[in-house]
Amino acid sequence: MPDILVIDDDINTVDAIIEGLTTDGHNVVSANNGKEALEKINGKEPDLVLTDLMMPGMNGLKFLKMIKKLYPDITIIIITGFGSVETAVEIGRAHV
């Protein structure tokens, strides 16, 4: 069963994502921000990360950069309601 990490500071978003994924049989762990997510991973690489871009503390981009250093092959999907072309380019560069 894949382990999926969901990171978002909006509890309603997290609850909706978790409900959908657990209904499909996935093991899901959630965190409110990037720092909390890194603590919850605790050396165990999840199969997939869904992270919000705009969060207090460690935002999604900073989290992306940090987790890619730890797990270069990890699959990450960034979700946001505040996207721009510039942000997409910055995320793409961080992902490499």
Side-chain angles (χ1 to χ4, degrees), residues 15-92:
D15 287 346
I17 292 171
I18 289 173
E19 183 177 337
L21 292 172
T22 56
T23 299
D24 284 344
H26 298 286
N27 180 22
V28 182
V29 174
S30 66
N32 293 323
N33 58 55
K35 183 178 182 221
E36 182 183 341
L38 289 172
E39 292 169 1
K40 286 195 172 185
I41 290 173
N42 196 23
K44 184 175 184 276
E45 179 180 358
D47 295 325
L48 174 66
V49 174
L50 298 170
T51 183
D52 188 15
L53 183 60
M54 305 299 283
M55 298 177 290
M58 182 187 299
N59 66 28
L61 183 58
K62 189 170 184 180
F63 172 80
L64 170 68
K65 290 176 181 178
M66 291 187 75
I67 198 164
K68 278 299 197 173
K69 287 180 184 176
L70 298 171
Y71 309 107
D73 297 326
I74 195 166
T75 300
I76 301 171
I77 297 172
I78 296 183
I79 52 178
T80 186
F82 303 97
S84 69
V85 172
E86 292 81 12
T87 302
V89 169
E90 188 174 4
I91 290 168

